[in-house]
Amino acid sequence: MSSLSQTMPSHDVRQLGINLNYWYVVARSSEVNDKPLSVTLWHQAIALYRDSEGQIHALEDRCPHRQVKLSHGQVIGNELECAYHGWRFNHHGECAAVPYLAENQKLPNCTIRRYPVKEQDGFIWLFPGDGEPSVEPLGLPEWDHLNYIASVAIINCQAHYSYLIENLMDMYHGHLHQDLQAWAEAELQDIDETDERVDAHYQAQSYYKIDKIWSISQLFFPALRRLHPEPLDVSYIYPHWKSTLGKDFVIYCLLCPVNETQTKAYLIHFTSLNSFWRLHKLPVWFRRFVKDSLFNAAKKFLDGLVVQDVQMIEEEQQAYLQNPQRRNYELNRALVSVQRLMKNQASS
């Protein structure tokens, strides 16, 4: 195979911003309760909160009075109250009350930014672009589907988001994970590209085949695993990632880039129960009980993968910071497609 080595162009992929005109995941639904939550999406500090009816809202995390964080405060009814002086703001970002306002004074004519936000598939999706969104969030149809068991891990890495995406799209790095990997002997077959996604199709040897009730034990006992060929498809659906291994596993990585050297993401692993036709005949309440009881069954597995990947990704970032002119030598042509998509989207 010929080398696809490349020097960093003037439009450095490690310095790219993000296309703000997409939906990003900033929290799990369960993380936002009766107290405000502070999150950061690409240099923008944002306060998430639920009103008295449980609806999610997102405001710029800044009180215009003294510029302190609104997320230090509390929710009063449908308004967010600043901890410093008690100024309150409605979900439009308008000042709604000042506790010491004199009779001859008007409310300050100050407004902070509100962000479009949706609660969908167990996560809080936020649109950081200007104007109203013209696209929809990436769907996770498996989240509520009774035939899929979910596990969630959080990725926090001190690195540019491009390193995480490249790691996820490069299935040859399974060498790193040893006993934790779900596949072996990956071989890139084909690549499809559009303006919004890159689909890389690999053929691999899978360690898991979930086709009988006892076969679930493979997830917990490595000695029971047997290699067999399965398609391994990975997709960069800007700005997020999705993978399928055969018919048994679906994985998503939902990104929340913080800045040029910090990335947060949520890794969601779904195990399919579609092969168990007898299970599908049972009452819905029982199937829901099984799904809920097995939630996070694969979390230990996911956390182990994340630790190993983050170490490598952060070392890549540090190496770049120490010598940004040093050239990488790349043989996986899928990463060339991925970098092209990142650059095109960041310049849109």
Side-chain angles (χ1 to χ4, degrees):
M1 181 183 293
S2 61
S3 173
L4 296 176
S5 62
Q6 56 185 27
T7 57
M8 286 296 176
S10 56
H11 196 27
D12 192 339
V13 69
R14 310 309 176 192
Q15 297 294 329
L16 290 177
I18 64 173
N19 188 335
L20 299 175
N21 294 314
Y22 286 89
W23 291 87
Y24 292 82
V25 165
V26 290
R28 285 185 60 187
S29 293
S30 59
E31 292 181 85
V32 188
N33 45 45
D34 59 346
K35 297 183 182 300
L37 177 68
S38 177
V39 299
T40 303
L41 173 60
W42 202 252
H43 299 280
Q44 300 177 62
I46 300 162
L48 302 176
Y49 69 98
R50 291 187 188 274
D51 63 21
S52 60
E53 298 176 351
Q55 294 297 308
I56 290 284
H57 302 289
L59 296 178
E60 181 181 357
D61 196 3
R62 175 185 66 87
C63 178
H65 175 215
R66 295 289 182 88
Q67 314 306 320
V68 300
K69 286 183 174 293
L70 278 176
S71 57
H72 293 322
Q74 61 180 332
V75 180
I76 305 294
N78 294 332
E79 297 167 351
L80 185 54
E81 182 185 76
C82 180
Y84 201 179
H85 291 84
W87 289 30
R88 295 185 189 176
F89 296 84
N90 61 29
H91 70 273
H92 295 294
E94 303 162 337
C95 183
V98 174
Y100 50 87
L101 193 70
E103 291 185 3
N104 62 344
Q105 288 181 308
K106 295 182 179 180
L107 283 171
N109 184 24
C110 54
T111 302
I112 55 176
R113 182 177 178 182
R114 63 165 289 273
Y115 293 85
V117 65
K118 288 186 178 184
E119 187 169 13
Q120 176 181 305
D121 299 326
F123 292 87
I124 307 301
W125 302 75
L126 185 140
F127 184 84
D130 295 326
E132 291 302 311
S134 60
V135 297
E136 291 296 320
L138 176 69
L140 276 66
E142 299 86 358
W143 185 262
D144 288 319
H145 198 297
L146 293 177
N147 290 352
Y148 289 89
I149 305 302
S151 297
V152 180
I154 298 177
I155 300 174
N156 281 300
C157 58
Q158 302 301 311
H160 189 266
Y161 70 88
S162 62
Y163 288 112
L164 175 56
I165 293 299
E166 290 176 16
N167 168 276
L168 293 167
M169 292 296 292
D170 183 10
M171 292 297 98
Y172 296 124
H173 91 274
H175 179 268
L176 167 69
H177 297 306
Q178 300 300 323
D179 291 340
L180 290 175
Q181 71 187 58
W183 75 95
E185 302 175 22
E187 182 179 345
L188 183 63
Q189 303 289 307
D190 195 16
I191 302 172
D192 298 316
E193 291 185 63
T194 71
D195 293 338
E196 294 184 339
R197 63 188 292 164
V198 172
D199 298 285
H201 308 288
Y202 293 83
Q203 183 66 34
Q205 295 290 321
S206 173
Y207 282 101
Y208 305 107
K209 192 171 186 66
I210 311 300
D211 57 353
K212 296 180 177 62
I213 192 65
W214 61 264
S215 64
I216 295 180
S217 60
Q218 298 172 76
L219 300 173
F220 309 100
F221 301 103
L224 299 177
R225 301 168 192 166
R226 296 293 182 270
L227 286 172
H228 63 281
E230 294 261 69
L232 174 58
D233 297 320
V234 292
S235 301
Y236 183 28
I237 309 168
Y238 192 92
H240 307 294
W241 176 87
K242 178 183 178 181
S243 171
T244 58
L245 177 60
K247 298 179 180 180
D248 296 327
F249 302 101
V250 183
I251 307 178
Y252 294 86
C253 189
L254 308 178
L255 268 74
C256 179
V258 177
N259 54 44
E260 288 82 359
T261 58
Q262 185 177 355
T263 302
K264 182 176 181 179
Y266 291 86
L267 192 65
I268 307 102
H269 178 285
F270 292 102
T271 302
S272 169
L273 301 180
N274 285 320
S275 297
F276 306 143
W277 60 270
R278 289 186 178 87
L279 180 64
H280 307 162
K281 295 185 175 183
L282 297 175
V284 169
W285 69 265
F286 181 78
R287 294 171 64 192
R288 171 62 62 183
F289 171 76
V290 171
K291 179 180 175 72
D292 293 345
S293 298
L294 293 176
F295 178 75
N296 265 346
K299 181 171 172 54
K300 183 176 181 181
F301 161 77
L302 284 186
D303 287 341
L305 292 175
V306 167
V307 168
Q308 293 175 343
D309 281 334
V310 166
Q311 179 184 1
M312 296 295 105
I313 290 168
E314 291 183 346
E315 286 190 15
E316 288 185 276
Q317 177 70 63
Q318 288 304 310
Y320 167 79
L321 293 175
Q322 292 168 11
N323 191 342
Q325 301 304 318
R326 181 172 290 159
R327 184 175 63 180
N328 285 351
Y329 292 84
E330 184 54 64
L331 296 178
N332 188 342
R333 55 195 175 92
L335 301 197
V336 177
S337 299
V338 165
Q339 289 195 0
R340 180 161 49 242
L341 176 56
M342 290 178 190
K343 293 173 187 175
N344 291 341
Q345 285 290 344
S347 61
S348 297

